[in-house]
């Protein structure tokens, strides 16, 4: 499960893993890939995607593109547009009640996770992946080339 950039990372991690997951949840995010999905495990993974209709950070068109991508790849997914909702996340009691979940968060500004760092030819971001069942936390640094 991930919100915003965490939603993007949730899908990327789900695309990479070759093990069955209970599901993926993309909240107010987008799917970066345009490639045909070849990961059979991902094709069988239930995906939940939702987006606020009034989102000004990641406009609603990102949701529609993601839903079309999932449809085109014949993924198992459920999608919802939240009317009058902006780019926000709900409180912790309404996020996830399953023990079999993964939560992904990516830092935008410094805080619990380092924020985005701009370098001469690249951008660095950090994401945290939390395995709810075990409590294991992993931090991933990504370097995005600007060239």
């Amino acid at each position: 499960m991930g919100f915003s950039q965490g939603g993007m990372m949730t899908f990327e991690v789900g695309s990479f893993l070759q093990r069955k997951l209970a599901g993926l949840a993309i909240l107010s995010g987008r799917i970066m890939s345009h490639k045909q999905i070849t990961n059979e495990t991902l094709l069988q993974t239930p995906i939940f995607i939702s987006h606020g209709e009034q989102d000004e950070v990641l406009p609603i068109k990102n949701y529609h593109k993601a839903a079309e991508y999932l449809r085109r790849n014949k993924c198992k997914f459920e999608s919802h547009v939240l009317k009058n909702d902006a780019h926000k996340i709900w409180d912790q009691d309404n996020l996830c009640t399953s023990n079999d979940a993964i939560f992904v968060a990516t830092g935008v500004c410094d805080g619990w996770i380092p924020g985005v760092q701009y370098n001469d030819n690249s951008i660095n971001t950090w994401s945290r992946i939390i395995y709810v069942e075990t409590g294991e936390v992993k931090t991933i640094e990504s370097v995005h080339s600007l060239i």
Side-chain angles (χ1 to χ4, degrees):
M1 173 187 295
F3 172 74
S4 194
Q5 283 185 312
M8 296 175 217
M9 288 299 299
T10 295
F11 187 80
E12 292 300 317
V13 169
S15 297
F16 174 77
L17 293 176
Q18 297 295 319
R19 68 174 229 197
K20 180 149 175 40
L21 300 172
L24 300 175
I26 304 167
L27 311 174
S28 297
R30 61 186 270 198
I31 295 175
M32 304 297 290
S33 179
H34 301 291
K35 297 177 186 173
Q36 180 73 25
I37 297 172
T38 57
N39 180 339
E40 288 298 321
T41 304
L42 177 62
L43 290 171
Q44 296 305 312
T45 300
I47 300 171
F48 175 90
I49 181 170
S50 69
H51 209 103
E53 189 176 54
Q54 305 301 316
D55 192 332
E56 294 181 8
V57 177
L58 287 172
I60 191 71
K61 69 180 180 183
N62 293 294
Y63 162 85
H64 293 295
K65 288 179 181 179
E68 176 54 32
Y69 175 79
L70 295 172
R71 204 174 288 107
R72 192 171 59 250
N73 280 280
K74 297 179 176 54
C75 293
K76 295 168 47 176
F77 75 100
E78 176 181 335
S79 59
H80 298 275
V81 172
L82 306 173
K83 291 188 181 284
N84 302 316
D85 204 3
H87 194 78
K88 67 178 184 179
I89 195 163
W90 300 97
D91 65 51
Q92 65 184 10
D93 295 329
N94 295 316
L95 280 177
C96 179
T97 57
S98 171
N99 284 337
D100 187 18
I102 297 174
F103 184 80
V104 180
T106 300
V108 177
C109 56
D110 286 337
W112 182 63
I113 306 170
V116 176
Q117 290 184 356
Y118 295 89
N119 303 309
D120 291 334
N121 297 315
S122 64
I123 297 172
N124 291 38
T125 60
W126 288 263
S127 299
R128 291 240 167 93
I129 301 174
I130 303 168
Y131 298 91
V132 175
E133 188 172 34
T134 64
E136 180 183 359
V137 178
K138 292 184 179 181
T139 301
I140 298 171
E141 179 181 359
S142 299
V143 178
H144 310 275
S145 176
L146 296 175
I147 299 174

